[in-house]
Amino acid sequence: MYQNASLVGLKLDKGTQVADAILESEVQDKEANDLFNEAVQLGWNLEMDWLWLATKVTRFSQRYYCLEQALIINPESQLAKQGLKMLKSNPGQMLKF
């Protein structure tokens, strides 16, 4: 929203920066949620798609579902197994592969 503020000489206060960061995060969460719903409806069948999506969604249940789908597609997936292990040890942790 204010990405070019420095170019026009505007100084943003911390409150505005925090509000912008929260808004951007909410937009990303909605986009990830929309992708999750699309993936479920379309029945994505690529392991890497599910692993990637697991790193984007914010809800524990969605991350878990994505990893489970990756394991259904490839029961030997070390990344999916690693992700599930991370989720079980720290459910609030975002996944990074």
Side-chain angles (χ1 to χ4, degrees):
M1 176 183 252
Y2 298 100
Q3 293 173 349
N4 295 323
S6 62
L7 297 176
V8 293
L10 296 175
K11 290 193 177 208
L12 303 176
D13 62 26
K14 291 283 186 201
T16 302
Q17 292 172 349
V18 169
D20 284 349
I22 290 170
L23 179 60
E24 183 177 332
S25 176
E26 289 173 353
V27 168
Q28 290 172 348
D29 289 350
K30 183 184 178 333
E31 290 171 351
N33 191 52
D34 290 347
L35 272 175
F36 176 81
N37 290 331
E38 179 182 330
V40 171
Q41 289 174 357
L42 296 178
W44 284 4
N45 65 353
L46 296 176
E47 172 192 2
M48 293 308 292
D49 288 350
W50 286 109
L51 292 172
W52 174 81
L53 189 55
T55 67
K56 301 301 178 196
V57 293
T58 56
R59 293 186 186 117
F60 172 84
S61 60
Q62 290 176 330
R63 286 191 296 252
Y64 192 87
Y65 183 87
C66 290
L67 295 170
E68 286 289 315
Q69 291 303 308
L71 277 176
I72 288 170
I73 294 165
N74 177 8
E76 302 301 317
S77 173
Q78 292 303 310
L79 288 175
K81 290 177 183 180
Q82 175 187 355
L84 286 171
K85 185 176 179 181
M86 286 189 295
L87 275 184
K88 289 176 183 175
S89 67
N90 187 357
Q93 176 181 349
M94 290 300 291
L95 297 174
K96 292 181 182 178
F97 296 110

